[in-house]
Amino acid sequence: MIDQDLHAAAYPRLDKAQLAALEGCPLSKLKHYRHGEKLFEAAQRDSNFYVVKTGAVEIVDDDGDEPKVVATLGPGEFTGEVAQLTGGPAIFSGAARGESDVFEISNDALREIMNVHPDLGDVVLRAFMARRHLLHEMGDFTGLRVIGSRYSKHTLRVREFLAKNLVPFTWMDLEDDPQVKQFLEEVGLTEADTPVVTWGHKLLLRNPSNEELADALALRRPFEHTVYDLAVVGAGPAGLAAAVYAASEGLNTVVLERDAPGGQAGRSMRIENYLGFPTGITGRELAENAVVQANKFGAHLPVASPVAGLSFDNKYAVLHLDNGETVSAKCLLIATGADYRRLDVEGCERFEGCGVYYAATPVEAQLCKGSDVVVVGGGNSAGQASVFLSGQVRKVYLVVRGGDLYEQMSSYLARRSEETSNVEVLLNTEVRRMSGDRCLLEVEVVNNKTGEARTIKTPALFCFIGATPRTDWLPLKIEKDEKGFVRTGASLQNSEAWTARRQPHLLETSRPGVFAAGDVRSGSAKRVASAVGEGSMAVLFVHEYLKQM
Ligand SMILES: Cc1cc2nc3c(=O)[nH]c(=O)nc-3n(C[C@H](O)[C@H](O)[C@H](O)COP(=O)(O)OP(=O)(O)OC[C@H]3O[C@@H](n4cnc5c(N)ncnc54)[C@H](O)[C@@H]3O)c2cc1C
């Protein structure tokens, strides 16, 4: 059952004053469409935004066997959803029903109108977000199809990439979907071709890299400026916060993200200590809202854009992308956070993607529903994963090397893990071996006090044993501490690397105009809130630096 309030929020009608604002706006064009004429097609990139003046527009889901009308928009109603702002491909098609007059507005113009008319902007934004929620609740929406085996690392990679980048899709598991063989035959493929991505019955890509997927779905787009005011590397909480503040304050801003917005926080199913969300928020929701917000203000967020190096051309920072492209900026914010640590255990690498996971979201939980699973780690991320997985699987073994669950885990999570009936906490315990064939089957754990070993039959081990900074792409000019985190502000006081006459700003690195925020920064708090705070604060120093440039 679809919530009526959600439906009402998804399909509001603009009032007379709002329509008049559009009518008088030079950025909107009034166009006439005949019955059946298409305004935009599903999978089309950069489709315009349309507001119905007279007549009607049908929104059609045409990825299934039969086209299905999802909504009929009347006068005052408008097309679009989140992809309209993020630049992703249209999910549905739109066609005129009867003779219709519509206002046509480009995406750039829409952003401008939203900023000039915030009341109109709020209605449109709320509707876009509500439509995305409706889509998740529709149940019968297919969207892109990913066809591949649960035992394939690449299938998991493609599914994770789409999920993290908020692209709706349906997964057909080669192992247990009864329709998959027939579907493959219909599109002229065999199992050997998988994983494949299709739109309806049209093959889009065969085992695509993340970059190929991003290009096909318009997640990666051409750079708009030769020199940006601010380039941010990393779209975790710190980078996204910086993007929102910088773009809203008029700086032309690019955020280069190698994988998907959200960073580590995007792997959390419940962030409960972030101010303003008393019932918690998933990392995915937080990232989705932040991406929409950053796009609303005009920040440019091309994924997948891994940055491989940094050099300097006079005063400008020059970022080298791994595909050979370069991006120049007057200021740079390093917000590349930290990367999960791997278990140094026999068999671990072999089972990555088919038994060993570094995130516990619905994508991974789907692979081990009803089974026993092992979570390794004594920090908050391991606690969160255990609690989330306990609702999806038969039993969770939480393997903790130390003897006190409360030592590194927040007490609310430690208590919840202890009190959840199907979570068994194994203290003083370490993983010794993993074994299986195509995929993980068994994990051997050993008590580091008594030496007692135990074998757990499981298809999944979730690893949350801390993280190391992602700073290998930085040149020596950017000073790091002994663990590889970037030094900033006061910690550079006696550094020879800092050569400017003034003192470095609080979040400034050893190179003037280059800042660092969030987990990547030496001495940072390693929390969502502090990463967001630092990302926002960095923009203040960017303004200071630009003023003196
Ligand atoms: C499972 C889990 C649960 C958590 N739960 C909580 C919680 O409940 N509360 C809390 O306060 N904290 C929590 N944390 C910690 C919190 O998520 C981090 O402190 C926060 O995400 C740090 O943000 P950041 O932006 O500094 O870095 P990150 O989140 O690490 O983001 C860095 C981004 O940079 C990108 N990147 C890295 N290298 C490159 C490159 N070379 N080129 C381009 N992009 C690059 C990465 O892909 C990533 O998206 C959790 C962490 C995990 C792993």
Side-chain angles (χ1 to χ4, degrees), residues 90-150:
I91 290 172
F92 299 121
S93 302
R97 196 172 80 182
E99 299 289 305
S100 304
D101 287 320
V102 297
F103 294 110
E104 183 187 76
I105 297 155
S106 74
N107 288 343
D108 284 343
L110 174 63
R111 262 188 220 107
E112 221 170 303
I113 291 171
M114 286 168 82
N115 288 329
V116 177
H117 301 280
D119 54 332
L120 180 65
D122 286 351
V123 176
V124 171
L125 256 192
R126 241 179 270 135
F128 284 179
M129 306 287 283
R131 286 176 189 181
R132 216 8 113 87
H133 285 292
L134 274 183
L135 197 66
H136 292 309
E137 290 189 7
M138 264 169 72
D140 56 350
F141 172 70
T142 310
L144 285 181
R145 279 189 180 86
V146 176
I147 304 154
S149 163
R150 62 177 50 220

Side-chain angles (χ1 to χ4, degrees), residues 334-350:
I334 301 164
T336 43
D339 226 343
Y340 49 73
R341 217 174 269 144
R342 292 185 153 86
L343 266 181
D344 187 16
V345 165
E346 188 187 321
C348 181
E349 212 179 317
R350 185 179 139 210

Side-chain angles (χ1 to χ4, degrees), residues 4 69 186 279 286 305 362 415 433 464 479 492 502 520:
Q4 288 311 312
V69 176
E186 282 168 15
T279 55
L286 196 67
S305 301
R415 211 173 314 115
R433 195 171 296 122
F464 297 101
E479 196 170 292
L492 293 165
R502 63 174 172 84
V520 76

Side-chain angles (χ1 to χ4, degrees), residues 416-436:
R416 215 173 284 165
S417 303
E418 284 176 335
E419 287 170 1
T420 305
S421 61
N422 63 340
V423 175
E424 182 177 339
V425 182
L426 304 175
L427 297 175
N428 297 311
T429 303
E430 292 176 38
V431 176
R432 184 153 69 185
R433 195 171 296 122
M434 301 182 206
S435 52

Side-chain angles (χ1 to χ4, degrees), residues 12-70:
R13 202 174 284 275
L14 298 186
D15 62 26
K16 276 196 184 136
Q18 289 165 334
L19 278 173
L22 285 181
E23 185 129 38
C25 173
L27 298 171
S28 75
K29 282 186 233 147
L30 189 61
K31 282 197 158 180
H32 182 79
Y33 284 87
R34 287 193 305 276
H35 176 70
E37 212 178 330
K38 285 252 165 99
L39 282 74
F40 56 92
E41 304 249 18
Q44 184 184 327
R45 304 172 188 195
D46 282 326
S47 56
N48 289 321
F49 173 73
Y50 298 93
V51 183
V52 182
K53 187 177 183 212
T54 61
V57 170
E58 274 182 347
I59 303 300
V60 184
D61 177 8
D62 42 20
D63 68 314
D65 294 333
E66 291 289 318
K68 198 170 63 208
V69 176
V70 177

Side-chain angles (χ1 to χ4, degrees), residues 238-399:
L240 287 171
V244 168
Y245 279 85
S248 70
E249 289 165 17
L251 300 178
N252 57 51
T253 305
V254 65
V255 186
L256 299 162
E257 166 56 49
R258 64 170 184 185
D259 184 23
Q264 296 169 73
R267 290 194 265 144
S268 170
M269 283 311 291
R270 203 172 156 94
I271 298 168
E272 286 185 76
N273 56 357
Y274 188 53
L275 188 73
F277 296 92
T279 55
I281 181 166
T282 66
R284 187 187 149 130
E285 258 181 290
L286 196 67
E288 184 175 4
N289 291 348
V291 167
V292 171
Q293 212 172 353
N295 273 288
K296 172 180 129 174
F297 291 120
H300 185 53
L301 273 120
V303 292
S305 301
V307 175
L310 166 66
S311 62
F312 295 94
D313 181 5
N314 282 322
K315 284 194 166 175
Y316 296 159
V318 182
L319 293 160
H320 300 262
L321 273 60
D322 73 341
N323 63 358
E325 278 180 280
T326 56
V327 176
S328 298
K330 295 176 189 165
C331 284
L332 168 66
L333 177 67
I334 301 164
T336 43
D339 226 343
Y340 49 73
R341 217 174 269 144
R342 292 185 153 86
L343 266 181
D344 187 16
V345 165
E346 188 187 321
C348 181
E349 212 179 317
R350 185 179 139 210
F351 296 118
E352 277 177 358
C354 56
V356 174
Y357 306 105
Y358 297 93
T361 71
V363 172
E364 294 79 19
Q366 238 181 328
L367 298 169
C368 50
K369 259 200 163 44
S371 314
D372 293 351
V373 302
V374 174
V375 174
V376 186
N380 280 353
S381 26
Q384 272 180 15
S386 300
V387 174
F388 166 66
L389 288 166
S390 68
Q392 317 283 318
V393 303
R394 189 169 52 196
K395 179 159 184 176
V396 178
Y397 292 93
L398 175 56
V399 173

